[in-house]
Amino acid sequence: MIKSILAYPLQFIVFVLFQVLILNNIQLGGTVNPFLYILFILWLPIELNKVLVMGIAFVLGLSIDVFTDTMGMHASACVFLAFARPSLLNILAPRDGYELNVPPTAGALGWFWFLRYAAIGILLHHSFLFFVEVFRFSEFFDTVGRILASSLFSLVLISLAQVFSSNTEDRR
Amino acid sequence: MRNLIAFLRKYSFFFLFLGVEVLAFYLIFKNNHFQGSSFLNSTNALTGGIYTKYANIADYVHLKEVNDALSDENRRLRENQLQSYDRIFGENIMVDDTLYKKKYLYTKARVINNSTHRQNNYLTLSIGQNNGIENGMGVIGPNGVVGVVKNVSPNYASVLSVLHRESKISVKLKKSQYFGSMQWDGENYRMIGLKDIPNHVDLTEGDTVVTSGYSSIFPKGLHTAVIKTFEVPEGENFYKIKMQLLNDFRQLTYVYVLKNITSTEVQELEAGREEGDD
């Protein structure tokens, strides 16, 4: 338990640096950009106080914003994801509810569960982010196209990250 | 009253969400101002430092392209030097150099962070107040306009890129001297729009577009883009023009920040004119 409490801040820093230094330099076709860092919010323990999750999400988004000069943009999208997460977890809950201390990962709850969880979470976050970024509905389908393309890219990366982390979990 | 409290308690999480979103949007709007300066951006010591370290490593990857671009620029500059010209009428014409007055000072800067994929793009430079950089200075690359300095800290500067939807640069057609404004539509980072060119002007694909020099941020006649496509939308008096930027924004590594020595004089004059109109 203590170990995992120490692991989260480290994970936080790694996610932020990986996002701003590596992923923000990767763009397919000019405008498609993956956002892996929201996996940090998705991976937070299910039982964690939702107000605390929202606070963490705000700080996480703000950290990305500071690097990319998009003050408040990622923060607002992350807070939206944190707001939607409890409902999302509820909808996807197994019939008997979640067992205590089960992490929201593919290793613990299965790939089918995790892919749905991640895909919906990514879509919510990206939709919010991209619409806040353009701040208009006039080029609606153009924006929706970019949301879908980026979401797909993010989902692939998040699944890959999940595969690698499951491997290290098994080895322990 | 009890119902109200119960209602608030039931939806407390939602209200918290609204509260935090209001805070986030406050940040977005506060920082959207062109001149709005704040501590929380990529020019502070922590983020700037991390970007510099990263740029130190990543620069090696682009050395070849950067060298190409720099030597190409050198070639162009050499071509324009007086030694490369021959006097047309022997000794009959005297060139009096002192008639020219220096207007712009150049400071070289390294780009340590850059983006092209967002709707509103910024660059971060490795120089700041300590190098004499101020808000509102122009930034040019090897091939024309790059942007305008928006934010400076002691050691770093943040630049509003041309690839920003709110960024407008005054330009003109090199051939016919008609002027318009250059503005990005957020689609392709190599292409940019040109507005306000009346439909009676003769255009051809490949026409060069240069800076107009009206804003005094950029010198006059800087080659910036070439026209790719143009059309007149039905019922309108102005062309809809798409141009290709000469700078490849993905490859920008070294840029120059311009200081206009005469700008205060122009600004004072123009401010006085507005007061006089009242």
Side-chain angles (χ1 to χ4, degrees):
Chain A
M1 190 65 196
I2 304 247
K3 204 171 159 191
S4 69
I5 286 175
L6 286 176
Y8 278 111
L10 187 69
Q11 212 181 48
F12 185 98
I13 295 170
V14 170
F15 267 123
V16 170
L17 288 184
F18 191 69
Q19 180 67 44
V20 296
L21 295 182
I22 312 282
L23 292 183
N24 280 357
N25 293 315
I26 298 177
Q27 298 112 30
L28 294 183
T31 49
V32 179
N33 189 214
F35 297 105
L36 178 68
Y37 74 96
I38 56 169
L39 183 56
F40 183 80
I41 303 174
L42 296 176
W43 264 353
L44 288 172
I46 294 174
E47 300 84 26
L48 197 64
N49 186 319
K50 52 189 181 180
V51 175
L52 187 60
V53 173
M54 196 173 272
I56 293 172
F58 184 72
V59 175
L60 177 68
L62 214 56
S63 314
I64 302 287
D65 284 331
V66 167
F67 277 98
T68 54
D69 280 323
T70 52
M71 214 52 216
M73 229 177 258
H74 284 274
S76 67
C78 284
V79 166
F80 179 65
L81 177 62
F83 171 69
R85 200 181 90 121
S87 319
L88 178 59
L89 283 169
N90 257 340
I91 293 167
L92 295 175
R95 205 176 303 143
D96 318 321
Y98 296 101
E99 286 170 42
L100 208 61
N101 289 329
V102 165
T105 59
L109 290 159
W111 272 102
F112 181 59
W113 182 88
F114 180 78
L115 281 180
R116 282 191 299 165
Y117 173 61
I120 299 174
I122 293 167
L123 263 182
L124 290 174
H125 172 271
H126 285 22
S127 308
F128 200 97
L129 179 71
F130 280 66
F131 274 113
V132 168
E133 188 187 21
V134 294
F135 218 78
R136 72 197 80 185
F137 283 104
S138 58
E139 292 140 15
F140 185 79
F141 292 103
D142 190 48
T143 311
V144 168
R146 290 193 300 125
I147 290 171
L148 291 178
S150 279
S151 297
L152 193 68
F153 201 175
S154 299
L155 185 63
V156 170
L157 274 181
I158 283 182
S159 306
L160 281 177
Q162 178 67 77
V163 169
F164 285 123
S165 75
S166 317
N167 284 349
T168 51
E169 257 172 46
D170 292 345
R171 230 173 281 145
R172 255 182 289 178
Chain B
M1 189 64 195
R2 191 184 292 164
N3 281 345
L4 181 68
I5 291 171
F7 172 79
L8 286 179
R9 183 169 289 173
K10 191 174 172 198
Y11 293 102
S12 63
F13 187 54
F14 179 68
F15 286 120
L16 176 76
F17 165 66
L18 283 187
V20 181
E21 285 293 359
V22 167
L23 179 64
F25 275 87
Y26 169 73
L27 285 173
I28 294 178
F29 289 120
K30 202 183 101 194
N31 289 280
N32 249 348
H33 293 302
F34 186 67
Q35 299 286 7
S37 72
S38 77
F39 169 73
L40 282 178
N41 59 44
S42 69
T43 63
N44 75 45
L46 174 72
T47 50
I50 291 176
Y51 274 139
T52 312
K53 285 219 165 61
Y54 182 76
N56 282 341
I57 300 165
D59 272 0
Y60 284 104
V61 183
H62 304 294
L63 272 183
K64 193 175 169 296
E65 287 87 357
V66 172
N67 280 340
D68 277 352
L70 289 179
S71 70
D72 199 42
E73 193 178 2
N74 277 340
R75 175 193 62 75
R76 232 177 310 134
L77 293 176
R78 268 180 205 283
E79 251 174 27
N80 288 335
Q81 266 185 335
L82 267 184
Q83 291 100 307
S84 316
Y85 291 83
D86 219 1
R87 283 194 187 162
I88 300 170
F89 299 111
E91 300 296 315
N92 295 340
I93 296 178
M94 197 177 82
V95 180
D96 195 346
D97 217 11
T98 53
L99 280 177
Y100 292 89
K101 198 176 83 177
K102 201 175 193 93
K103 194 174 170 194
Y104 290 96
L105 295 179
Y106 291 66
T107 313
K108 109 181 174 320
R110 203 173 67 165
V111 178
I112 57 170
N113 183 37
N114 186 8
S115 73
T116 54
H117 63 280
R118 284 199 296 269
Q119 297 290 302
N120 297 316
N121 294 293
Y122 295 88
L123 303 96
T124 312
L125 307 183
S126 62
I127 54 172
Q129 275 157 359
N130 294 348
N131 312 75
I133 306 303
E134 291 161 23
N135 274 346
M137 284 185 175
V139 180
I140 62 170
N143 294 302
V145 178
V146 167
V148 177
V149 174
K150 181 207 71 162
N151 240 324
V152 275
S153 69
N155 293 308
Y156 303 100
S158 177
V159 176
L160 185 90
S161 168
V162 168
L163 304 178
H164 187 296
R165 296 181 78 132
E166 306 300 325
S167 153
K168 271 187 194 164
I169 308 280
S170 173
V171 291
K172 63 182 178 185
L173 300 167
K174 192 185 180 192
K175 195 170 64 178
S176 56
Q177 303 288 313
Y178 279 96
F179 69 93
S181 68
M182 181 168 89
Q183 196 172 14
W184 196 46
D185 57 5
E187 274 170 27
N188 180 344
Y189 78 99
R190 293 304 314 262
M191 307 298 280
I192 196 161
L194 173 61
K195 286 192 208 162
D196 302 339
I197 301 288
N199 61 7
H200 61 79
V201 180
D202 268 342
L203 291 180
T204 30
E205 196 187 310
D207 277 357
T208 311
V209 174
V210 299
T211 49
S212 70
Y214 292 154
S215 65
S216 83
I217 296 175
F218 298 105
K220 194 171 66 184
L222 213 59
H223 289 215
T224 294
V226 289
I227 291 177
K228 276 283 162 195
T229 60
F230 56 88
E231 53 170 355
V232 184
E234 205 157 317
E236 287 195 26
N237 296 325
F238 296 99
Y239 277 112
K240 193 176 169 203
I241 304 175
K242 285 241 175 199
M243 309 185 287
Q244 178 166 31
L245 283 164
L246 295 176
N247 271 326
D248 185 342
F249 275 70
R250 285 272 183 85
Q251 288 188 347
L252 283 180
T253 311
Y254 286 99
V255 294
Y256 306 96
V257 184
L258 305 181
K259 182 182 174 65
N260 185 343
I261 313 171
T262 59
S263 68
T264 35
E265 196 180 328
V266 176
Q267 277 162 14
E268 273 166 22
L269 187 69
E270 288 182 350
R273 182 179 62 193
E274 271 160 33
E275 277 162 27
D277 285 345
D278 292 334

